[in-house]
């Protein structure tokens, strides 16, 4: 058995959150760095909110990021008999008890505690209830939490974190409908799967002392715990659905590359010197918990875009052409990977930050678009129309539609017009609708002679009309 076994255990109630993706990545990298094992477990005991679609979204997101699990996915709904047996064992050993308090009674007591300035918690009145007193009544199963003393969480990132037992509740382990609760099943699963390192976000820190007490009650060995600081949104505070894109799929669907996303996530709270660009092999070789930061990280979209631009620029244009096809389809452009599309990609790779941007910038290659009004007003003027018509005529006679032949044809027109006419930008606007584009002759060569002539003639007609 490997010395290190980590896990990622998402709840399938929606997409894979950016914070969850980073947790999965850190666990995976730590397992790879130490020669250990990484397990995927789906925590689907919330039968109302868990969906097969959400499970698939999580699996797809992890696969897209390149995070490969060694075991699983395991599903908690397949392990309910194990949880029932362990709950029965705690009851038999007197470490848990049946509680018959109704929701109305509990709410009333909590309100009274709040009115007295006390922290609302279960008052323990069923702790000494004999088992037969619960017969025929709905009941939950609660852990018998120590009333005094402290529970210490030995955190790999924070050091020892101390919790007073008097502030902890007699946690519900099994609901009245027989379904187990989160903290209970997590402990049973982690122990039975041999998890050695429980590494997760610090929003789980308050659960950890409760889980430690459960480990002790069940007689399990404690894993090592580490809690990562959370990721804050662009406007500060916890990542918010209202302010930020918080799912992995949102970035995939906007045209970010998985290697850019993984590289960005690993740098959200971890570093290796001043290095910014990491291959997967480098992440696996260098990742360590010692270099995980102690403070929250701020999500910076500009930094992610910068990384994505770097990876698009460095990527194989054949691969990018294949990835670009669905983004073109969203714009109503039917395309297939082809040598021509690869050539289009090559002209755009150094100019875009996302595949979505690339699809927008590539649109003029597939269909003529009306020029930007400001560009048209500046460059498609009545004075330039005769020159455009003359250029179209020159280009239409070319047998070899190469950069050198096109340049010579344009130069002939310029010389006939006294050498003082500027034609490159008017042609660019006529062909692409913009003042900025890939190299003019690259664009013309990819569009082809007939399309170039047609668009230039059409621009001249629009000017004259």
């Amino acid at each position: 058995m490997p010395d290190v076994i980590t896990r990622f255990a998402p709840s399938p109630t929606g997409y894979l959150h950016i914070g969850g993706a980073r947790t999965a990545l850190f666990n995976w990298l730590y397992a790879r760095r130490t020669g250990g094992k990484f397990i995927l477990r789906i925590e689907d005991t919330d039968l109302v909110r868990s969906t097969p679609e959400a499970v698939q979204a999580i699996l797809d997101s992890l696969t897209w990021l390149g995070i490969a699990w060694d075991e699983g996915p395991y599903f908690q709904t397949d392990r309910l008999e194990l949880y029932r047996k362990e709950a029965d064992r705690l009851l038999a050993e007197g470490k848990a008890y049946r509680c018959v308090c109704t929701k109305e009674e509990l709410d009333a007591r909590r309100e009274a505690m709040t009115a007295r300035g006390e922290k609302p918690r279960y008052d323990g009145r069923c702790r000494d209830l004999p088992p037969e007193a619960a017969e025929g009544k709905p009941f939950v199963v609660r852990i018998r939490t120590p009333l005094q003393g402290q529970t210490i969480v030995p955190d790999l990132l924070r050091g020892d974190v101390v919790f007073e037992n008097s502030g902890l509740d007699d946690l519900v382990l099994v609901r009245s409908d027989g379904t187990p609760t989160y903290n209970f099943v997590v402990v049973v699963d982690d122990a039975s799967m041999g998890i050695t390192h429980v590494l997760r976000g610090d929003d789980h820190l308050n659960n950890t002392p409760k889980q430690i007490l459960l480990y002790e009650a069940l007689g399990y060995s404690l894993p090592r715990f580490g809690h990562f600081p959370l990721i804050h949104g662009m406007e500060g505070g916890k990542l918010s659905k209202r302010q930020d894109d918080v799912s992995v799929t949102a970035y995939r669907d906007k045209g970010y590359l998985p290697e850019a996303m993984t590289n960005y996530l690993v740098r959200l709270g971890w570093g290796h010197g001043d290095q910014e660009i990491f291959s997967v092999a480098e992440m696996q070789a260098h990742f360590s918990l010692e270099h995980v930061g102690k403070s929250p990280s701020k999500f910076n979209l500009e930094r992610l875009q910068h990384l994505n631009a770097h990876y698009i620029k460095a990527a194989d244009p054949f691969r990018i052409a294949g990835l670009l096809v669905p983004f073109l389809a969203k714009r109503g452009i039917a395309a297939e990977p082809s040598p021509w599309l690869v050539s289009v990609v090559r002209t755009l790779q150094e100019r875009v930050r996302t595949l979505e941007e690339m699809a927008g910038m590539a649109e003029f290659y597939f269909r003529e678009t009306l020029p930007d009004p400001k560009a048209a007003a500046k460059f498609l003027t009545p004075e330039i129309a005769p020159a455009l018509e003359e250029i179209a005529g020159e280009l239409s006679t070319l047998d070899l539609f190469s950069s050198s032949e096109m340049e010579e044809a344009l130069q002939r027109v310029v010389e006939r017009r006294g050498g003082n006419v500027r034609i490159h930008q008017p042609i660019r606007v006529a062909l692409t609708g913009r003042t900025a584009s890939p190299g003019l002759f690259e664009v013309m060569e990819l569009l082809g002679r007939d399309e170039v002539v047609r668009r230039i003639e059409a621009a001249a007609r629009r000017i004259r009309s």
Side-chain angles (χ1 to χ4, degrees):
M1 179 179 290
D3 292 335
V4 169
I5 303 178
T6 66
R7 51 74 159 174
F8 178 54
S11 298
T13 56
Y15 48 74
L16 178 60
H17 190 278
I18 286 292
R22 188 191 65 169
T23 296
L25 177 64
F26 281 9
N27 275 275
W28 179 65
L29 290 175
Y30 188 67
R32 293 292 177 267
R33 174 73 176 84
T34 57
K37 184 190 293 183
F38 174 63
I39 292 176
L40 176 61
R41 184 174 71 231
I42 304 297
E43 300 192 335
D44 60 344
T45 55
D46 186 340
L47 301 179
V48 174
R49 298 173 61 216
S50 298
T51 67
E53 292 78 14
V55 172
Q56 194 59 52
I58 290 168
L59 300 181
D60 289 346
S61 294
L62 291 174
T63 301
W64 180 72
L65 289 168
I67 299 174
W69 49 94
D70 301 305
E71 286 187 16
Y74 296 111
F75 291 84
Q76 288 182 329
T77 48
D78 294 334
R79 299 164 59 82
L80 295 176
E81 183 61 21
L82 173 62
Y83 310 139
R84 186 190 64 78
K85 287 181 178 179
E86 291 295 70
D88 287 346
R89 179 164 70 87
L90 289 175
L91 285 169
E93 294 173 357
K95 296 174 181 177
Y97 61 93
R98 296 172 179 84
C99 171
V100 297
C101 298
T102 66
K103 181 180 183 302
E104 292 74 21
E105 291 170 340
L106 294 171
D107 289 343
R109 288 178 217 151
R110 289 193 183 100
E111 288 176 10
M113 289 179 182
T114 302
R116 295 194 299 267
E118 300 173 11
K119 179 182 176 182
R121 62 194 298 271
Y122 181 63
D123 61 6
R125 67 179 59 196
C126 288
R127 284 172 73 101
D128 299 318
L129 190 73
E132 59 271 15
E135 289 182 8
K137 298 179 181 179
F139 65 86
V140 300
V141 177
R142 292 183 182 271
I143 184 71
R144 199 181 296 276
T145 301
L147 300 177
Q148 298 176 334
Q150 297 174 327
T151 298
I152 298 174
V153 177
D155 193 288
L156 290 167
L157 277 69
R158 299 164 175 268
D160 288 350
V161 184
V162 179
F163 293 84
E164 298 294 330
N165 289 338
S166 60
L168 302 177
D169 221 333
D170 281 2
L171 192 70
V172 174
L173 307 183
V174 181
R175 303 179 185 92
S176 58
D177 64 0
T179 58
T181 59
Y182 166 77
N183 282 296
F184 178 47
V185 296
V186 163
V187 170
V188 173
D189 284 340
D190 285 344
S192 63
M193 293 178 182
I195 304 301
T196 62
H197 291 71
V198 175
L199 309 173
R200 54 195 178 187
D202 64 9
D203 51 338
H204 285 282
L205 182 58
N206 287 334
N207 286 324
T208 306
K210 306 169 190 175
Q211 293 173 9
I212 286 176
L213 291 175
L214 277 167
Y215 274 98
E216 293 172 349
L218 288 160
Y220 299 153
S221 298
L222 282 181
R224 304 192 72 183
F225 293 97
H227 295 87
F228 307 124
L230 297 181
I231 301 171
H232 283 181
M234 289 181 280
E235 297 183 18
K238 191 176 178 180
L239 274 173
S240 163
K241 295 178 186 177
R242 293 186 299 273
Q243 298 173 355
D244 313 280
D245 285 323
V246 297
S247 73
V248 171
T249 49
Y251 292 94
R252 180 197 66 190
D253 295 345
K254 288 186 176 182
Y256 289 84
L257 298 184
E259 57 266 40
M261 199 73 215
T262 303
N263 193 154
Y264 182 70
L265 287 175
V266 82
R267 290 290 289 115
L268 275 177
W270 175 82
H272 180 69
D274 295 327
Q275 186 172 345
E276 290 291 334
I277 305 296
F278 289 88
S279 67
V280 171
E282 288 173 323
M283 292 180 208
Q284 293 178 350
H286 297 308
F287 184 81
S288 67
L289 296 178
E290 289 78 13
H291 292 105
V292 174
K294 305 297 190 292
S295 302
S297 304
K298 187 174 182 179
F299 195 91
N300 186 317
L301 184 61
E302 288 186 6
R303 180 62 194 148
L304 173 57
Q305 290 173 339
H306 174 77
L307 271 175
N308 204 55
H310 164 82
Y311 280 104
I312 287 177
K313 181 179 177 180
D316 182 344
F318 288 85
R319 174 190 170 214
I320 298 298
L323 295 175
L324 186 63
V325 167
F327 291 91
L328 292 169
K330 286 196 288 188
R331 294 174 174 269
I333 298 170
E336 293 182 0
S338 65
W340 181 81
L341 184 58
V342 171
S343 296
V344 167
V345 166
R346 285 195 173 104
T347 70
L348 300 173
Q349 274 182 282
E350 297 194 13
R351 296 173 168 271
V352 300
R353 298 171 298 177
T354 68
L355 296 177
E356 195 171 59
E357 282 187 9
M358 182 178 282
M361 196 172 285
E363 189 171 347
F364 74 82
Y365 281 115
F366 296 88
R367 58 192 176 206
E368 186 175 8
T369 56
L370 289 175
D372 173 75
K374 290 184 178 179
K378 183 174 182 180
F379 294 107
L380 299 183
T381 61
E383 295 76 21
I384 203 67
L388 290 177
E389 291 166 341
E390 195 171 336
I391 288 165
E394 281 283 348
L395 294 175
S396 68
T397 65
L398 297 180
D399 292 325
L400 185 62
F401 206 63
S402 65
S403 296
S404 58
E405 294 291 325
M406 286 183 271
E407 191 167 9
E408 289 177 8
L410 298 190
Q411 189 59 33
R412 288 194 292 271
V413 173
V414 170
E415 289 174 358
R416 284 200 296 269
R417 294 186 159 270
N420 61 356
V421 60
R422 299 194 175 191
I423 57 174
H424 284 71
Q425 279 296 76
I427 295 173
R428 189 187 308 277
V429 174
L431 296 179
T432 71
R434 307 169 188 155
T435 56
S437 75
L440 180 59
F441 296 117
E442 281 183 293
V443 169
M444 294 170 71
E445 197 165 347
L446 282 169
L447 287 174
R449 183 188 63 188
D450 293 347
E451 181 65 11
V452 167
V453 170
R454 190 190 68 76
R455 291 190 188 186
I456 292 175
E457 288 177 341
R461 285 196 302 272
R462 284 196 300 272
I463 293 171
R464 292 196 180 279
S465 66

